[in-house]
């Protein structure tokens, strides 16, 4: 009886030493105590080892204590590494970029009477400010007028904003994120025939969603290190396009209607971007990007809002692609 009591007291002492050692190590390593259950959840074999050698009173208990603590430290390091990786990817997605370049711009606009005098097909200078889930794109350019002597000028402003719903933040335990971008967009284009001083004001808006991905690209180069992140997204949207007040002549009087109503649109936006963070300093890097945009609109004006569902379901057959933009850009991020 006395020996059995001695064994029970000894086992209880070993167990208390193990618990005290674990919490002492946790405090020394700044363990997140609310996550301790995750770190100490061992495999069934480890649990059986604990039951057989600690509760059973074998002399290997101290070896198990050392093994268990080393296992906890290893799991904590892995846990902390995953959190740091998530934070690095999240911080890269929150960086902002200001980029500039040239745009190959085509906007094949015909008036209600069939005139193509406002068609624009040429190059424009572009500027884009972009963030995690929003962007503002500006452009200015001149091209040869199609039905008049001289040039036609195009000035555009396109705003896109919304949110990203993440599906995976670390896909297959790799530094790859996959998300669904949801976007609202609004655009304005000013087309002016310079010699005739005739201007058209075109507006459009749309709503859509798509698929996006982000990936950290590790390198062994001393300059870039692991500060390279790639982003790619594809968004399809539907909406409408129209003119504010028809075209205006040099006296500010309305000349003719462009659309004669709201025409339905189907838009496709593809964006790919590479960010070299901290390349120029602690908080400044370089961004290189390519933005492709296509827009198709219906031949006839929409009679009611319900016709927009025909575009969504693909039943609208009179959609013709009339606008495309290819924007290669480079700039800074912070």
């Amino acid at each position: 009886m006395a020996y059995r009591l001695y064994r029970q007291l000894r086992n209880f002492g070993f167990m208390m030493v193990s618990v005290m050692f674990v919490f002492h190590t946790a405090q020394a390593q700044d363990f997140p105590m609310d996550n301790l259950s995750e770190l100490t959840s061992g495999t069934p074999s480890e649990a059986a080892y604990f039951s057989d050698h600690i509760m059973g009173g074998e002399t290997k208990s101290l070896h198990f204590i050392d093994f268990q603590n080393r296992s906890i430290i290893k799991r904590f390091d892995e846990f902390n590494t995953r959190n740091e990786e998530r934070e690095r990817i999240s911080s890269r997605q929150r960086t902002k970029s200001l980029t500039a370049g040239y745009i190959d711009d085509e906007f094949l606009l015909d008036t209600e009477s069939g005139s193509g005098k406002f068609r624009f097909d040429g190059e424009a200078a572009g500027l884009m400010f972009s963030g995690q889930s929003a962007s503002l794109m500006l452009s200015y350019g001149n091209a040869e007028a199609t039905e008049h002597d001289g040039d036609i000028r195009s000035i555009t402003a396109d705003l896109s904003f919304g949110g990203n719903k993440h599906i995976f933040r670390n896909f297959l335990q790799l530094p790859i994120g996959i998300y669904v971008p949801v976007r609202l967009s609004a655009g304005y284009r000013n087309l002016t025939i310079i010699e005739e001083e005739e201007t058209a004001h075109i507006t459009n808006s749309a709503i859509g969603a798509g698929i996006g991905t982000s990936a950290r690209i590790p390198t062994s180069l001393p300059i870039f290190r692991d500060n390279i992140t790639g982003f790619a997204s594809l968004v399809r949207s539907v909406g409408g396009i129209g003119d504010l007040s028809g075209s205006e002549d040099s006296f500010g009087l309305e000349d003719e209607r462009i659309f004669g109503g709201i025409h339905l649109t189907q838009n496709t936006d593809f964006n790919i971007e590479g960010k070299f963070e901290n390349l120029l300093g602690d908080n400044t890097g370089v961004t290189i990007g390519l933005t492709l945009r296509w827009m198709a609109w219906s031949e006839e004006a929409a009679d009611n809002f319900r016709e927009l569902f025909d575009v969504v379901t693909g039943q609208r057959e009179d959609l013709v692609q009339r606008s495309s933009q290819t924007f290669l850009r480079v700039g800074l991020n912070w």
Side-chain angles (χ1 to χ4, degrees):
M1 178 69 69
Y3 180 72
R4 184 177 299 176
L5 179 61
Y6 162 76
R7 289 184 58 184
Q8 292 177 351
L9 290 174
R10 187 193 63 177
N11 293 339
F12 179 77
F14 279 138
M15 188 166 57
M16 291 300 296
V17 169
S18 176
V19 172
M20 292 175 64
F21 193 85
V22 167
F23 276 87
H24 174 74
T25 306
Q27 292 175 352
Q29 296 288 334
D30 292 330
F31 278 20
M33 302 307 292
D34 55 338
N35 291 322
L36 192 59
S37 61
E38 176 184 344
L39 302 174
T40 56
S41 57
T43 63
S45 61
E46 292 171 348
Y49 189 92
F50 184 86
S51 175
D52 293 341
H53 293 73
I54 293 296
M55 302 305 293
E58 297 291 338
T59 59
K60 297 180 181 179
S61 297
L62 290 177
H63 294 285
F64 173 77
I65 294 173
D66 180 64
F67 167 78
Q68 183 72 0
N69 281 283
R70 281 187 281 125
S71 177
I72 291 174
I73 294 173
K74 181 180 177 181
R75 287 174 188 160
F76 174 75
D77 290 339
E78 294 174 351
F79 178 80
N80 194 43
T81 299
R82 289 195 300 269
N83 281 345
E84 289 177 353
E85 187 63 37
R86 293 190 189 104
E87 180 60 28
R88 280 198 296 267
I89 292 176
S90 179
S91 64
R92 286 183 171 94
Q93 292 174 342
R94 291 193 297 266
T95 59
K96 301 175 181 61
S97 296
L98 181 63
T99 53
Y102 280 97
I103 304 173
D104 185 7
D105 193 0
E106 182 182 60
F107 195 78
L108 305 180
L109 175 65
D110 292 336
T111 66
E112 191 177 16
S113 63
S115 172
K117 61 183 179 180
F118 286 110
R119 290 190 171 197
F120 183 90
D121 187 0
E123 290 186 348
L127 185 71
M128 176 178 282
F129 176 77
S130 58
Q132 180 180 5
S133 56
S135 66
L136 175 63
M137 177 175 163
L138 307 173
S139 74
Y140 178 95
N142 291 336
E144 184 178 350
T146 57
E147 295 184 3
H148 296 83
D149 294 333
D151 293 338
I152 181 172
R153 181 179 63 236
S154 173
I155 301 174
T156 69
D158 294 284
L159 176 65
S160 175
F161 59 95
N164 299 327
K165 177 62 177 178
H166 278 83
I167 304 174
F168 301 102
R169 293 186 181 272
N170 286 279
F171 184 62
L172 298 177
Q173 300 300 317
L174 298 174
I176 299 174
I178 299 176
Y179 58 91
V180 175
V182 179
R183 296 290 184 268
L184 293 170
S185 63
Y188 168 77
R189 183 182 289 261
N190 178 294
L191 294 166
T192 300
I193 303 173
I194 298 176
E195 297 296 329
E196 301 294 328
E197 296 185 1
E198 192 174 353
T199 302
H201 306 277
I202 310 300
T203 61
N204 66 86
S205 61
I207 182 173
I211 188 70
T213 182
S214 62
R216 183 180 62 82
I217 305 172
T219 69
S220 58
L221 299 177
I223 298 178
F224 298 109
R225 298 188 298 276
D226 62 345
N227 292 327
I228 303 177
T229 308
F231 300 87
S233 64
L234 177 68
V235 176
R236 297 268 288 179
S237 56
V238 297
I241 187 172
D243 56 285
L244 293 179
S245 58
S247 63
E248 297 177 352
D249 58 21
S250 57
F251 298 101
L253 301 176
E254 184 175 320
D255 186 15
E256 63 176 311
R257 298 291 296 180
I258 305 297
F259 285 104
I262 301 298
H263 291 239
L264 302 177
T265 63
Q266 185 179 73
N267 307 331
T268 303
D269 290 10
F270 175 72
N271 188 64
I272 185 170
E273 197 170 71
K275 292 184 178 181
F276 303 82
E277 289 91 356
N278 305 326
L279 187 62
L280 304 179
D282 292 338
N283 298 310
T284 306
V286 174
T287 297
I288 299 175
L290 174 65
T291 299
L292 304 175
R293 289 180 172 175
W294 300 272
M295 181 191 295
W297 60 76
S298 59
E299 295 282 356
E300 302 294 333
D303 294 328
N304 54 67
F305 180 77
R306 291 191 298 272
E307 294 184 28
L308 192 63
F309 292 98
D310 294 336
V311 180
V312 176
T313 58
Q315 298 180 13
R316 189 84 184 200
E317 299 180 353
D318 64 337
L319 294 173
V320 179
Q321 181 179 312
R322 297 179 179 273
S323 175
S324 66
Q325 292 178 311
T326 302
F327 186 15
L328 181 62
R329 50 196 173 82
V330 64
L332 302 176
N333 64 65
W334 63 92

